[in-house]
Amino acid sequence: MSSEDNQNRGREDDGRQDEGRDGGRGFRRGGGKPFFRRKVCKFCTQNILPDYKNPDALRRFITERGKILPRRITGTCAKHQRALSLEIKKARVLAYLPFVKK
């Protein structure tokens, strides 16, 4: 048995591409600090404002249980996150969005 056979024994080829040294986790080479893509505010880039009359657009910013998602998850800026939370609350009162999904 050659040394190459010993290295490949126990390893299965599952058809995935080589993910690199970090295993596809997003770490930079040489450092332990993760690399991630900066999130941008949808409202700033598209020059729109959140509106309670458009519940389909607001559904992106709430969980399936009805909770408002935080800025660090959605990527909205502080100004638009405050406006977004008020518009979601208005939509809930007017029954466009649910308060809680069971």
Side-chain angles (χ1 to χ4, degrees):
M1 202 181 274
S2 70
S3 64
E4 187 177 317
D5 290 335
N6 285 336
Q7 288 176 349
N8 290 333
R9 193 177 351 157
R11 220 192 248 181
E12 291 184 23
D13 184 23
D14 56 4
R16 287 190 289 171
Q17 294 286 336
D18 184 26
E19 295 172 345
R21 274 182 38 196
D22 63 355
R25 288 185 209 93
F27 288 100
R28 293 183 190 191
R29 275 193 178 169
K33 189 174 180 181
F35 173 76
F36 60 93
R37 220 178 132 142
R38 180 134 174 96
K39 296 176 182 151
V40 292
C41 180
K42 177 186 172 186
F43 301 106
C44 288
T45 55
Q46 294 181 358
N47 203 15
I48 58 174
L49 292 174
D51 189 19
Y52 71 93
K53 294 172 277 191
N54 191 358
D56 294 328
L58 297 179
R59 282 195 211 311
R60 177 181 172 211
F61 300 98
I62 60 172
T63 64
E64 59 186 31
R65 306 261 309 170
K67 295 180 178 181
I68 300 173
L69 288 169
R71 286 181 53 206
R72 62 186 167 79
I73 303 294
T74 60
T76 56
C77 64
K79 174 183 169 182
H80 287 118
Q81 181 70 22
R82 289 191 299 269
L84 180 67
S85 64
L86 289 174
E87 296 300 314
I88 288 173
K89 291 172 185 177
K90 284 181 194 176
R92 285 176 176 167
V93 170
L94 294 170
Y96 290 139
L97 291 175
F99 279 96
V100 178
K101 287 184 183 175
K102 292 185 180 180

